[in-house]
């Protein structure tokens, strides 16, 4: 990665196999790699605090959660659909 331009996005999918292994890169190591992205750098579907025992990631990575939206962007996305009745509260 040092020999190329920075990537816009780096999404890392970790294999949660359940045990600490000699030579296994930590979640923090992978987070540092993902952080090298210009725009988005994330661990996809993995909770770093419980890696490599985050067995729920096997389900989360099938349907990864979207990145958080600002409230204004979420309201605009909801209002763009006629079938959604959106009543914001203050």
């Amino acid at each position: 990665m040092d020999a190329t331009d920075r990537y816009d996005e780096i999404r890392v999918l970790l294999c949660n196999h359940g045990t600490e292994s000699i030579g296994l890169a930590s979640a923090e190591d992978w987070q540092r790699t993902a952080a090298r992205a210009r725009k988005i750098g994330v661990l996809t579907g993995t909770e770093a605090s419980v890696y490599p025992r985050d067995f729920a990631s096997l389900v989360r990575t099938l349907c990864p959660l979207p990145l958080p939206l600002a409230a204004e962007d979420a309201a605009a996305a909801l209002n763009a659909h006629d079938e959604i009745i959106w009543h914001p509260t203050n």
Side-chain angles (χ1 to χ4, degrees):
M1 290 180 72
D2 291 335
T4 186
D5 291 337
R6 289 175 59 197
Y7 294 97
D8 287 340
E9 296 185 19
I10 300 174
R11 298 171 190 259
V12 180
L13 177 63
L14 300 178
C15 177
N16 283 279
H17 54 70
T19 185
E20 301 286 337
S21 301
I22 295 172
L24 177 69
S26 69
E28 292 79 20
D29 293 330
W30 288 112
Q31 284 176 318
R32 281 193 297 277
T33 299
R36 296 176 72 168
R38 281 189 289 226
K39 296 180 181 177
I40 298 171
V42 295
L43 300 183
T44 301
T46 300
E47 290 292 331
S49 63
V50 289
Y51 173 80
R53 293 173 196 84
D54 182 18
F55 300 116
S57 72
L58 300 172
V59 176
R60 283 193 303 270
T61 55
L62 295 176
C63 302
L65 296 174
L67 296 174
L69 286 175
E72 300 80 28
D73 294 334
L78 291 170
N79 286 324
H81 296 276
D82 292 334
E83 67 273 17
I84 297 176
I85 299 170
W86 171 247
H87 298 287
T89 59
N90 292 331

